[in-house]
Amino acid sequence: MELQNGRPAGADRRQPREARVYDYLDGLGIEYQRVDHAPAQTMEDCKAIDEVLGTAMCKNLFLCNRQKTNFYLLLMPADKPFKTKELSAQINAARLSFASEEYMLKYLDILPGAVSVLGLMNDGENDVRLLVDEDLFSDEFIGCHPCVNTSSLRLRTDDVFGKYLKSTGHGMTKVKLIGE
């Protein structure tokens, strides 16, 4: 694995959802570094990627309510455990669970293992509510997948939660997860 600046050569030969991410970020003038790797399915897989990127990959959870009428993308530090009850109380939503692959594709155009804040560019109707653990704002960079789990990006936190998020039309709700 080697850290590269910007989009890969031959990005047009990559999966369309990945190529669209590079087009989107480049169109916004957002700089990023990238590393290609074997498919990363777990946070454990991301540890070697973290070292190359020089920042920790963000844990991204796609959630929904029991009725499957409200959808949430939760971003949190990789090493923090997730407690449903703790989050539910802060966003006034009972009975949260993980949303299915069907909804990931429908709203974010992402498959399991590649969930990322970058999928919000595909949610033109703002059906997904972004939730961000406040601890993520203490780091200069954030690590995430470009809508596929065979590459990872390092982006400036300010760019993600500023320029990028504004361009998607999404707001965000800061949450404080203790995870104990």
Side-chain angles (χ1 to χ4, degrees):
M1 288 188 292
E2 184 178 323
L3 192 64
Q4 303 287 322
N5 287 317
R7 71 186 303 121
D12 58 326
R13 292 186 304 273
R14 301 234 177 171
Q15 289 187 43
R17 62 177 51 103
E18 179 183 6
R20 284 193 312 269
V21 169
Y22 302 133
D23 292 342
Y24 197 91
L25 294 175
D26 292 347
L28 292 172
I30 294 177
E31 294 181 4
Y32 53 94
Q33 287 74 45
R34 174 189 50 79
V35 63
D36 295 328
H37 48 75
Q41 296 291 340
T42 66
M43 292 311 299
E44 191 65 32
D45 294 340
C46 291
K47 288 188 179 188
I49 298 165
D50 292 350
E51 290 180 27
V52 176
L53 288 177
T55 192
M57 290 292 287
C58 179
K59 186 186 294 186
N60 302 271
L61 304 176
F62 189 55
L63 308 166
C64 64
N65 64 353
R66 182 176 55 177
Q67 298 83 6
K68 296 179 178 59
T69 55
N70 295 317
F71 294 88
Y72 308 90
L73 176 59
L74 172 63
L75 279 57
M76 60 188 291
D79 59 353
K80 191 179 275 192
F82 172 61
K83 305 285 185 182
T84 307
K85 183 178 179 181
E86 182 181 26
L87 178 63
S88 294
Q90 291 183 54
I91 64 169
N92 197 26
R95 308 196 55 123
L96 290 175
S97 63
F98 293 100
S100 70
E101 179 178 332
E102 169 191 358
Y103 292 110
M104 285 181 197
L105 284 168
K106 178 180 179 178
Y107 295 117
L108 302 176
D109 190 27
I110 293 179
L111 293 169
V115 176
S116 161
V117 67
L118 298 176
L120 291 176
M121 67 182 228
N122 300 313
D123 180 28
E125 300 297 317
N126 289 313
D127 290 311
V128 178
R129 180 176 170 191
L130 179 62
L131 310 172
V132 184
D133 184 275
E134 65 182 20
D135 287 347
L136 289 182
F137 295 97
S138 63
D139 293 327
E140 181 180 3
F141 295 100
I142 187 171
C144 61
H145 295 307
C147 296
V148 296
N149 66 353
T150 53
S151 291
S152 296
L153 304 181
R154 178 176 73 177
L155 300 124
R156 291 198 175 283
T157 304
D158 289 346
D159 283 342
V160 172
F161 297 114
K163 193 184 297 187
Y164 169 77
L165 204 54
K166 183 178 179 183
S167 75
T168 69
H170 286 79
M172 80 173 137
T173 302
K174 288 184 184 179
V175 295
K176 181 179 178 119
L177 301 175
I178 307 299
E180 295 177 350

